[in-house]
Structures are given as structure tokens and as C-alpha cells.
Amino acid sequence: MKKDETPRSRPVTPANDNEIAPDPIAIDAALSRIAEVIGRHIAREHIRATKAANDNESNGTNPNR
């Protein structure tokens, strides 16, 4: 396929070029919230894995054989 060599009437700009200056405080808050959620998810997975490996009853006795 041949590349189109016709000149463009306007320069090409990205579709998401909003020309808005990002707010560093809002970005920091959003990233902190995402990190908290990821941390909680990892902790829950770790707790589930630990509980799954435990075969003792909740009252401290071993299960019946």
C-alpha cells in the first residue's frame, strides 16, 4: 500500500489533546487512591491464601479423621 503524499490542510493533532494543564494535586490524590485499592486487593489475596492452607477448626482442635 502506498502512503498518501497529498499535503494536509491542517497539522495532525492527537484526538485527546485537550490543552488543559493537569492539576498535580488531583493526579496525586487519584494515584494514592489507586495504590490503596491495589494494596487492599493484594492483602485480601494473601489472607485468603493463608486461610485456605489452615486446616484447623476455629475452636483450636483438629478436625475429625
Side-chain angles (χ1 to χ4, degrees), residues 23-35:
D23 181 16
I25 295 172
I27 292 172
D28 201 30
L31 290 175
S32 295
R33 180 67 183 138
I34 292 170

Side-chain angles (χ1 to χ4, degrees), residues 55-63:
D55 62 352
N56 293 334
E57 295 291 324
S58 60
N59 62 4
T61 62
N62 288 331

Side-chain angles (χ1 to χ4, degrees), residues 8-50:
R8 297 184 186 274
S9 60
R10 297 182 291 166
V12 178
T13 57
N16 62 350
D17 187 17
N18 297 331
E19 298 181 12
I20 297 175
D23 181 16
I25 295 172
I27 292 172
D28 201 30
L31 290 175
S32 295
R33 180 67 183 138
I34 292 170
E36 288 174 11
V37 171
I38 291 171
R40 284 190 191 118
H41 183 73
I42 292 171
R44 286 185 188 123
E45 287 181 348
H46 185 69
I47 289 171
R48 284 187 199 125
T50 304

